[in-house]
Amino acid sequence: MLRSTLVLLLLAFCIVPFRAQEVNKSSQTRDPWWKHAIIYEVYPRSFQDSNGDGVGDMNGITSRLDYLKDLGVDAIWITPMYPSPQVDFGYDIADYESFDPQYGNMADFDRLMSEAKKRNIRIIMDYVANHTSDQNPWFKESRSSRTNPKRDWYIWRDGKGPGKPPNNWQSWFGHSAWTYDKETGQWYYHYFYVQQPDLNWRNPEVRKAMYDVMRFWLDRGAAGFRIDAVSRLFEDPKLHDDPILPGKNAFGDPNIQHKYTDNLPEVHDVLRDMRSLVDDYPGNPVLISEADEPNIQELDKMYGANDDEIQLPMDFQVADVNKLSAPRFRELLDEIEFNPLKGQPYFFFNNHDQARTWDRYGDGVHNDQIAKLMAALLLTTHCTPQMYYGEEIGMRTTVPTRIEDVKDPVGRTGWPKDKGRDGERTPMQWDTSKNAGFSKAAKTWLPVPPSYTKYNVATEQYQPDSIFNFYKHVIALRRELSALHDGSYVAVNRDDQNVLAYLRTANNGTDPVLVALNMSAEPQTVNFSLKGFGVQGNSLHVLLASPQQRNSDFGLTGVKLEPFGVLISAVE
Ligand code: GLC
C-alpha cells in the first residue's frame, strides 16, 4: 500500500511539471505582458564597457540592470551580439547560436538572463532573418560551387551578360544589389551590404535552420525576438526590374521603388510559422518586426489576418513624422483608433538607425522642452512604447565631422550627403568622469559627445526638472494609471492646429486622464469640453506638467500651456 502510494506520488510529481510546461496556444493572447510593457533598446557596443576595450559588452549591460529597473523598464531588446565581422556592427551574422567574444560568452549571457529575471526584466533577442554575413559557414559553402547542397540557401543568378547584373535592383546601402562571384560565375543578391548575402526563404532547409535558431534562444529563456528587415525576406522570382523614380539618392544612384523586393505576400507565410513557433512556448514570447510600412493598411497586415503573425510591428509612420505637427500626429493616431489595428500599436521615436529625437524634433531653442514633450507623446498614447538608450537623458545625434572618422560604411558611401548612423550610436552618458563613465579605455569605439558634461545620468538625477526625471515621472504614471497603460484613447479639440490633446480612460470607464501637448513655440490657452466624451468631471488635477505649474488644480477653460508645454492631468 505504502509502495503504491509512493509510486502515485512520484507519478504526480512527474506529471505536474510536465503539465505546467504544456502551453495552451489560445491562452497566449489573453493579457500578455508585452501589452503593458516598456521596451528599451540597448545598443550593446555603446551601453557599458566592462573590460576596458572601448566597446560595450554583456557584463556591462548586467551591471546596469538596476538602473533599468529603477527607470521602469520591463524588457530590453539587445541588438546583435553574435559572432560577426562587424561590417554592419552585428547585423552581419557569422553564427546565430553563440556570441562574439568582444561582447562576452554564453556564461555571461546566462548570468545576464538570470540577473534580469531577478529584476523582472525580460530579454528580447535580435533576429536577423533576411541575410547572414558572407563569413557565415552557410554562405561559404554556398559560394564554394554551383552544385554545393547549400547553393540554393542564397539567391544566385546568372547575369544579363558580361559585367551585367541580373536586373536593376539596388541595395538599401547603395549601388547594385548583386555582386559577381568570379569562382562560380554567378551573381548573389544582397538587399544590404555586399557582405550581407540574402537567404533564400523559399528553400525549406533555410526555414528549418532559421526556425531552429529561434528555438535555440527561446530554450535559453529569451522573451521573444525583434525581427530585422522582415519585409525584405522574399524577392520576385521572375526578377522584374524595379520602377525607376525621378532624381538620385545620397549614393548617386537613381531613385527606385523597391517594388519587387519588399513586402511580397510570402512574407506572411513565414510570419505565421514564426508566430506558431513562439506560441508553443510558455510566457507569451513576443515578436516585434522592423519594417517601415508605407501606410496603416500595410502595417495592419503585419499582425496577420487572424492576429496570427507579429504582435508588435513597429510603426514607422508615427516615428518619422519629423516635425512637431499636432494635426499630423492627431491624424495618425486617429487612423489607428478609427480603423482599429488588429493588434496592439507599437511606437518609438529613436533607434540605432535614425537621428535622435532631440535633433529631429528639436527647434534649436527649446530642445530640452521638446524632448519632454516627445517623451509624453510616446509614454501617454495608446501603444506599447519602445525607448532607445540615452533618450531619457536627452542624448543628441553627434555625427562625425571627417570622413576618416566614420565607422558605419553607409556614411562612407554616402558622405557627405548621408553621414551614416554613428551619430545616434555614441556611448551612453552615465556621469561626468572620463568617457562619461562608459569605459576606462584610452579611446572608445565612437567618441563620447561633448554634451556629456551636462547631459548624463549622474547629474540629471539630482535636477528635479531634468529630462531624466521627466521620463522617470511619466513612466511611473504610465505604470500606475490604468488609463495610461491600458485605457482607451480619443482626441479632443480636434481642430486645434497647435495643441494635441487627448483623453485616456481606464477600460471600466473611470479615472479619465487628459493630456495636452503644445506643439508650437507660442504659449497657448485652451478650453476643454469633455461632457460629450462621457466625462463628468469639471476640473483638472495636474499629475505632471512641464514646465512645472504653480497651480495644481484648475478648471477646464483658459488652460495655459507654455511653448512646447506638457500637461498630464486627472479630470475630477
Ligand atoms: C536593420 C537594422 C540596421 C541594419 C539593417 C541590415 O534595418 O536595424 O541597423 O543595418 O537592418 O541588417
Side-chain angles (χ1 to χ4, degrees):
M1 175 66 187
L2 184 63
R3 194 174 317 144
S4 57
T5 313
L6 272 174
V7 169
L8 276 178
L9 268 174
L10 257 174
L11 266 176
F13 271 108
C14 297
I15 289 167
V16 168
F18 175 69
R19 284 246 170 93
Q21 286 297 312
E22 268 179 19
V23 177
N24 173 1
K25 286 201 184 202
S26 63
S27 75
Q28 293 280 2
T29 46
R30 246 180 263 146
D31 192 28
W33 61 271
W34 44 260
K35 272 200 174 158
H36 313 288
I38 293 175
I39 300 179
Y40 184 99
E41 178 189 354
V42 171
Y43 195 71
R45 293 185 78 75
S46 292
F47 197 57
Q48 179 67 62
D49 172 17
S50 74
N51 61 0
D53 63 358
V55 175
D57 48 47
M58 254 187 281
N59 289 337
I61 301 173
T62 308
S63 73
R64 294 296 186 178
L65 287 171
D66 283 337
Y67 167 78
L68 295 170
K69 179 77 197 160
D70 185 51
L71 183 60
V73 164
D74 302 285
I76 54 176
W77 147 38
I78 312 179
T79 65
M81 298 186 287
Y82 316 103
S84 160
Q86 306 291 335
V87 172
D88 194 15
F89 295 106
Y91 282 97
D92 45 326
I93 298 179
D95 172 2
Y96 284 90
E97 295 181 357
S98 64
F99 290 107
D100 197 305
Q102 68 182 305
Y103 298 118
N105 56 32
M106 207 48 92
D108 298 329
F109 179 73
D110 289 342
R111 199 168 70 84
L112 168 63
M113 292 293 277
S114 76
E115 290 300 317
K117 195 165 180 195
K118 280 183 204 159
R119 293 163 178 82
N120 217 5
I121 295 178
R122 291 174 163 87
I123 309 272
I124 297 168
M125 304 299 284
D126 213 310
Y127 180 72
V128 184
N130 179 66
H131 48 269
T132 69
S133 158
D134 62 351
Q135 298 307 306
N136 191 304
W138 298 345
F139 187 70
K140 286 188 182 171
E141 276 193 53
S142 182
R143 84 184 311 172
S144 66
S145 83
R146 287 197 188 201
T147 55
N148 184 278
K150 288 208 170 50
R151 184 66 169 181
D152 186 49
W153 280 41
Y154 293 83
I155 319 282
W156 291 98
R157 293 289 183 276
D158 293 328
K160 277 191 172 159
K164 291 204 182 122
N167 65 12
N168 76 347
W169 292 349
Q170 276 175 26
S171 159
W172 192 252
F173 290 155
H175 313 326
S176 174
W178 297 96
T179 290
Y180 186 65
D181 180 62
K182 267 204 291 240
E183 302 303 314
T184 57
Q186 282 192 309
W187 301 71
Y188 68 88
Y189 173 72
H190 49 90
Y191 194 99
F192 296 98
Y193 292 126
V194 173
Q195 298 88 341
Q196 292 172 299
D198 273 46
L199 284 163
N200 175 15
W201 276 85
R202 291 202 169 83
N203 182 324
E205 289 176 20
V206 167
R207 289 195 192 192
K208 179 178 178 312
M210 290 302 286
Y211 296 156
D212 284 348
V213 168
M214 293 185 120
R215 291 193 189 93
F216 179 88
W217 292 108
L218 290 166
D219 288 339
R220 293 199 92 90
F225 301 94
R226 174 270 190 187
I227 313 175
D228 185 63
V230 76
S231 54
R232 276 109 207 212
L233 293 187
F234 289 88
E235 306 73 35
D236 170 28
K238 297 209 171 104
L239 304 194
H240 286 102
D241 273 343
D242 272 335
I244 305 281
L245 304 172
K248 294 213 161 164
N249 63 23
F251 309 109
D253 304 318
N255 286 323
I256 62 162
Q257 181 196 352
H258 291 265
K259 179 172 174 187
Y260 293 105
T261 58
D262 272 13
N263 275 327
L264 269 68
E266 292 94 323
V267 167
H268 298 282
D269 301 335
V270 169
L271 295 183
R272 270 190 301 277
D273 285 352
M274 290 179 176
R275 175 64 177 275
S276 174
L277 187 157
V278 298
D279 277 355
D280 274 339
Y281 281 77
N284 295 295
V286 70
L287 295 177
I288 298 173
S289 65
E290 184 216 27
D292 43 348
E293 302 305 339
N295 53 48
I296 190 159
Q297 288 74 24
E298 286 301 317
L299 178 69
D300 196 36
K301 284 188 196 161
M302 283 287 154
Y303 294 91
N306 301 306
D307 191 11
D308 52 358
E309 298 182 28
I310 298 289
Q311 294 106 320
L312 297 177
M314 294 178 180
D315 189 330
F316 276 78
Q317 298 289 304
V318 170
D320 290 341
V321 170
N322 288 342
K323 64 173 190 209
L324 276 182
S325 159
R328 182 63 186 141
F329 277 112
R330 189 181 300 124
E331 185 183 18
L332 287 171
L333 300 178
D334 272 359
E335 252 183 14
I336 292 174
E337 302 304 323
F338 291 155
N339 172 11
L341 289 172
K342 286 190 208 72
Q344 171 82 347
Y346 189 57
F347 296 164
F348 69 100
F349 289 113
N350 293 282
N351 73 16
H352 64 284
D353 290 327
Q354 49 193 359
R356 287 178 177 273
T357 340
W358 199 89
D359 312 83
R360 261 186 311 130
Y361 290 88
D363 66 350
V365 179
H366 305 89
N367 287 27
D368 286 4
Q369 183 56 38
I370 293 172
K372 294 175 190 169
L373 180 140
M374 295 307 289
L377 181 62
L378 178 69
L379 292 155
T380 66
T381 38
H382 165 213
C383 69
T384 294
Q386 177 192 295
M387 294 169 58
Y388 180 50
Y389 81 94
E391 72 174 72
E392 70 274 26
I393 50 170
M395 272 179 67
R396 62 194 64 177
T397 321
T398 310
V399 286
T401 49
R402 308 177 316 162
I403 187 168
E404 324 56 299
D405 299 331
V406 175
K407 295 281 188 303
D408 179 14
V410 165
R412 270 181 262 126
T413 327
W415 192 271
K417 281 196 184 142
D418 183 344
K419 294 184 176 162
R421 298 164 293 177
D422 294 351
E424 54 266 27
R425 299 174 175 180
T426 56
M428 176 68 179
Q429 297 164 196
W430 295 104
D431 56 38
T432 53
S433 70
K434 183 184 167 203
N435 296 331
F438 160 70
S439 168
K440 296 211 173 351
K443 193 165 184 258
T444 53
W445 83 282
L446 281 176
V448 173
S451 60
Y452 87 95
T453 52
K454 180 167 171 213
Y455 295 86
N456 63 72
V457 176
T459 305
E460 289 186 49
Q461 68 183 334
Y462 296 113
Q463 297 168 337
D465 204 23
S466 64
I467 296 173
F468 180 61
N469 276 319
F470 185 84
Y471 263 90
K472 283 188 77 170
H473 206 141
V474 73
I475 288 173
L477 277 180
R478 185 187 171 87
R479 299 180 75 87
E480 191 184 314
L481 301 175
S482 154
L484 291 186
H485 70 246
D486 233 3
S488 61
Y489 165 99
V490 63
V492 301
N493 292 13
R494 315 188 76 86
D495 295 328
D496 197 314
Q497 296 300 301
N498 300 303
V499 177
L500 177 71
Y502 44 90
L503 199 58
R504 304 281 325 266
T505 308
N507 284 332
N508 60 5
T510 61
D511 304 325
V513 172
L514 181 77
V515 179
L517 307 173
N518 178 5
M519 295 198 167
S520 79
E522 281 78 48
Q524 302 290 334
T525 303
V526 237
N527 302 318
F528 296 104
S529 166
L530 302 177
K531 292 277 185 289
F533 299 97
V535 171
Q536 297 312 320
N538 49 20
S539 65
L540 298 177
H541 174 69
V542 179
L543 300 168
L544 178 61
S546 176
Q548 284 161 357
Q549 297 272 352
R550 232 176 295 144
N551 297 336
S552 60
D553 292 276
F554 30 88
L556 293 178
T557 52
V559 178
K560 297 212 172 344
L561 291 165
E562 297 288 316
F564 304 107
V566 173
L567 176 67
I568 305 174
S569 53
V571 189
E572 295 178 337

